[in-house]
Amino acid sequence: MGGILAEKKDSLSHITLIAIEAALLAGEILKLGFGTHFSISSKTGKHNLVTEYDHKAEKAILDFIKSNVPSSKFLAEESGCSGKEEETLLWVVDPLDGTVNFAHQIPVFSVSIAAERKGEVVSAVVFQPITHELFVAEKGKGAFLNGQKLKVSDVKKLDESILSTGFPYDLAKNPNHCIDHFVDILKLGIPIRRLGSAAIDLAYTAAGRFEGFFEVKLGPWDCAAGKLLVEEAGGKVTQWSGKPFDIHSKETIFASNGQIHAETSAILNRKI
Ligand code: IPD
Ligand code: CA
Ligand code: CA
């Protein structure tokens, strides 16, 4: 764990510390692989990629957690559900969020690990190995970046905001209005970024770098950790309609600093 969290170590739960260790381990593996030659294949569509490093990082995370917390079950992007159904601690894991970036030597990708107990995410870690930024949140205890407390931005108007977004891999077949809503906001002159890692988009919203982030159909592994980060940094996460957002639902998601939520939801929620 080195100096990255030294002063916070005593105040975090065992589960959060395990999530951190696992994310740092996976981050090292991804860093070693980044920019080298590795195998790449397609999953559900031509552009939904998986590399040998997604698998290597996921195996390292699951092996590490299993050996430290035997009473665990998993929902991991590449290997799906594993562990005993009766266990109450569920680890939701995206070993490499931003695979398309990683495969194209773009250094914007992360490891995302969340621990969920009885349907509630209690620990969250997003690690960006290239920038060495470790985002950590614990339910009720706040969110931190490399040990420093995080707070969402204080911007009050959409017009003064910068947002981020992303698009599902099946966009060509199922536009699901997300392009129209993206264009609606773009036409207002609001800067929008598409980083290619939803976990980073959410972590940056928690850190006040973005005022908000919206997307559709994210997997639980994309957003479980990021949602807690935003909430623990004082922000708000809902569906576009303002209804509660469930990480397992694949519904629309809008995360913000809270201040621009109503104004932006009204645009995202308009019927086309
Ligand atoms: C993807 C990224 C991307 C988002 C996609 C996700 P992956 O995850 O988070 O930003 O737009 O919806 O599927 O495939 O790189 O793990
Ligand atoms: Ca992902
Ligand atoms: Ca992934």
Side-chain angles (χ1 to χ4, degrees), residues 77 94 96-99 169 197-199 218-219 221-222:
E77 180 170 16
D94 192 336
L96 170 46
D97 189 48
T99 299
Y169 290 111
S197 164
L218 288 177
W221 42 82
D222 299 311

Side-chain angles (χ1 to χ4, degrees), residues 229-272:
L229 279 164
V230 172
E231 289 170 345
E232 287 296 323
K236 192 168 176 176
V237 183
T238 67
Q239 296 179 31
W240 290 2
S241 63
K243 287 187 194 150
F245 174 74
D246 173 353
I247 57 163
H248 297 282
S249 69
K250 296 216 161 182
E251 259 299 342
T252 59
I253 179 171
F254 176 47
S256 83
N257 66 354
Q259 313 243 30
I260 64 156
H261 213 86
E263 186 187 358
T264 314
S265 291
I267 300 171
L268 290 174
N269 198 34
R270 92 177 166 89
K271 300 277 178 289
I272 293 182

Side-chain angles (χ1 to χ4, degrees), residues 151-157 256-263:
K151 197 183 160 308
V152 291
S153 96
D154 201 31
V155 168
K156 292 177 179 54
K157 293 183 188 158
S256 83
N257 66 354
Q259 313 243 30
I260 64 156
H261 213 86
E263 186 187 358

Side-chain angles (χ1 to χ4, degrees), residues 73 78 85 131 164 193 206 215 218 269:
K73 60 181 173 180
E78 308 308 337
E85 182 54 40
T131 57
S164 66
R193 299 290 176 264
E215 191 162 345
L218 288 177
N269 198 34

